[in-house]
Amino acid sequence: MSLAKQNFSNVVEDALNQQIALEMVASHTYLAIAAYLGADSIGLPGLEKYFHGQANEEREHAQSLIDYQNKRGGTVVLQSIPQPSTEWSSAKNAIESALQLEKDVNKSLLRVESLAEEQDDAEFVNMLRSNFLKEQVESIAEISKLITQLNRVGGDGLGLYLFDQTLLKDGVQGVIGDA
Ligand SMILES: [Fe+2]
């Protein structure tokens, strides 16, 4: 039994473990997308690097929630991570699936936040709003802008090559400016 536990309901504790699992699913999916983009038949090193970075970020989100669970006196229960898809038809299609994933993660975070609110867990609500919800909205905006740029250049050929080289050399800000 935790000494630290106070005003931390089982409902919130379970929801937090579900969110940790979802962050790990996101990390694993981004690793798969990066691998797809780095295959010799696709060969887009800029996008490959970007999604490697995204995979690491999602792993850090999971770790940060693990640390928070422990801080509040909850019990961390990790879940198995399902095999991600490998069925993308193009680089653009893979990025579109990343946008959907970010929206799914956001939906789940909003659900956890409203559960914490129902339980009058002000500290958890505050942590989610300042550390997670804000960043989630920024990620959705960032990936949406990447898709817009990809549509602008045609999503293939020289346009895609230049898009990818810019992403490789200058990072995401080089392609979309500040998200
Ligand atoms: Fe995340």
Side-chain angles (χ1 to χ4, degrees):
M1 184 64 194
S2 163
L3 295 171
K5 206 169 194 178
Q6 183 182 29
N7 188 39
F8 192 59
S9 80
N10 291 341
V11 175
V12 171
E13 186 177 334
D14 288 348
L16 184 48
N17 279 326
Q18 296 293 332
Q19 189 64 36
I20 292 166
L22 191 53
E23 301 291 344
M24 290 304 293
V25 167
S27 178
H28 212 46
T29 303
Y30 284 150
L31 209 52
I33 291 177
Y36 165 76
L37 295 162
D40 69 354
S41 56
I42 304 289
L44 293 165
L47 279 167
E48 181 190 6
K49 187 178 170 193
Y50 174 75
F51 279 103
H52 258 142
Q54 293 296 110
N56 291 339
E57 259 185 37
E58 297 306 333
R59 177 74 164 64
E60 283 166 17
H61 294 165
Q63 184 61 61
S64 156
L65 293 174
I66 286 169
D67 293 343
Y68 188 79
Q69 182 78 283
N70 276 336
K71 190 193 275 185
R72 292 298 302 273
T75 302
V76 173
V77 182
L78 295 182
Q79 297 176 18
S80 51
I81 306 168
Q83 181 183 1
S85 168
T86 50
E87 303 295 311
W88 298 288
S89 55
S90 64
K92 189 183 144 193
N93 177 237
I95 301 171
E96 283 167 346
S97 74
L99 177 60
Q100 188 55 51
L101 178 63
E102 291 293 339
K103 286 183 176 176
D104 292 344
V105 169
N106 195 32
K107 198 171 168 187
S108 172
L109 277 169
L110 288 166
R111 189 187 136 261
V112 179
E113 196 263 3
S114 68
L115 282 175
E117 251 189 300
E118 276 169 28
Q119 303 292 324
D120 291 324
D121 192 334
E123 206 282 330
F124 191 24
V125 168
N126 185 46
M127 192 285 283
L128 284 171
R129 286 182 182 173
S130 47
N131 297 346
F132 280 84
L133 290 173
K134 183 174 182 285
E135 191 180 326
Q136 205 54 41
V137 164
E138 283 166 0
S139 290
I140 289 169
E142 181 175 292
I143 295 178
S144 298
K145 285 183 180 181
L146 277 178
I147 293 170
T148 300
Q149 291 289 10
L150 209 48
N151 284 334
R152 177 164 296 133
V153 301
D156 202 3
L158 182 61
L160 178 59
Y161 172 77
L162 292 174
F163 168 97
D164 188 70
Q165 286 295 308
T166 306
L167 193 57
L168 182 65
K169 290 184 186 120
D170 304 326
V172 71
Q173 271 74 33
V175 178
I176 63 164
D178 288 324

